[in-house]
């Protein structure tokens, strides 16, 4: 792909920045007309190299935001586990506007939740909360370091799902919490306040809460 795409793009479309990983690529164009021209040219280039452009994944996307307000059928795409689309953002002095930003894709979030379920945390009642932290926090930190780099609020769903598993574990481990979802939720909140660094998301979102209601993570 370096010869067939990268080197060719640098020669033919120097003014169109692009990013590629394996056989997935994103090319930035200044107008719809240029985008159509480049897409046609890429298709022809790949065919000349005995390659085929994916008929469904290959598309022109309008990067809609507060400054680009036209209406187009496609305003989002997914690349390397991130979905780029119009999202609410906060500027100086709390000004709200729309920006075209990446966030963990639904597919990536689903994979992380599936992995969390596969751990069967609720069955590990002989373990302590500290031991669960030692076992899983490295994975959680890896998710955060990658997917939390952009639009951090999207990752709340993944970490909330993990916390629900911890609550279920607590109900299985401690008799006073058995059958009481509210009590187990209160117990976990107390643990978060007492040991905020035990899990990476406890620390991150705990810091956000301590900043006050006016803070935003985008």
């Amino acid at each position: 792909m370096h010869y067939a795409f990268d080197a060719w793009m640098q020669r033919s479309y120097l003014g169109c920045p692009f990013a590629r990983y394996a056989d997935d690529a994103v090319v930035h164009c200044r107008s719809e007309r240029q985008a159509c021209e480049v897409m046609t040219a890429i298709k022809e280039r790949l065919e000349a190299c005995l390659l085929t452009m994916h008929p469904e994944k290959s598309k022109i996307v309008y990067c809609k935001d507060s400054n680009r307000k036209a209406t187009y059928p496609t305003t989002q795409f997914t690349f390397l586990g991130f979905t780029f689309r119009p999202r609410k953002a906060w500027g100086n002095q709390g000004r709200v506007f729309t920006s075209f930003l990446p966030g963990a894709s639904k597919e990536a979030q689903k994979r992380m939740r599936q992995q969390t379920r596969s751990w069967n945390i609720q069955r590990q009642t002989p373990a302590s909360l500290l031991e669960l932290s030692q076992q899983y926090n490295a994975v959680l930190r890896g998710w955060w370091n990658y997917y939390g780099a952009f639009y951090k609020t999207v990752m709340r769903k993944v970490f909330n799902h993990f916390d629900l598993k911890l609550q279920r574990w607590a109900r299985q481990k401690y008799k006073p919490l058995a059958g009481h979802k509210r009590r187990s939720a209160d117990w976990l909140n107390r643990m978060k306040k007492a040991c905020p660094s035990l899990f990476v998301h406890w620390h991150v979102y705990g810091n956000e809460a301590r900043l006050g209601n006016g803070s935003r993570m985008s």
Side-chain angles (χ1 to χ4, degrees), residues 103-138:
S105 68
K106 291 182 178 180
E107 294 79 7
Q109 294 176 51
K110 182 179 179 180
R111 287 194 298 269
M112 287 183 276
R113 290 194 297 269
Q114 286 175 338
Q115 185 168 350
T116 298
R117 283 193 292 271
S118 73
W119 292 336
N120 289 317
I121 294 173
Q122 70 278 2
R123 297 182 182 179
Q124 300 181 44
T125 51
S128 66
L129 191 61
L130 175 60
E131 289 171 332
L132 293 180
S133 171
Q134 294 169 340
Q135 186 171 356
Y136 299 116
N137 200 42

Side-chain angles (χ1 to χ4, degrees), residues 10-27:
Q10 291 169 354
R11 293 194 310 269
S12 305
Y13 294 97
L14 190 60
C16 295
F18 69 91
R20 181 185 65 81
Y21 181 81
D23 60 350
D24 285 339
V26 176
V27 180

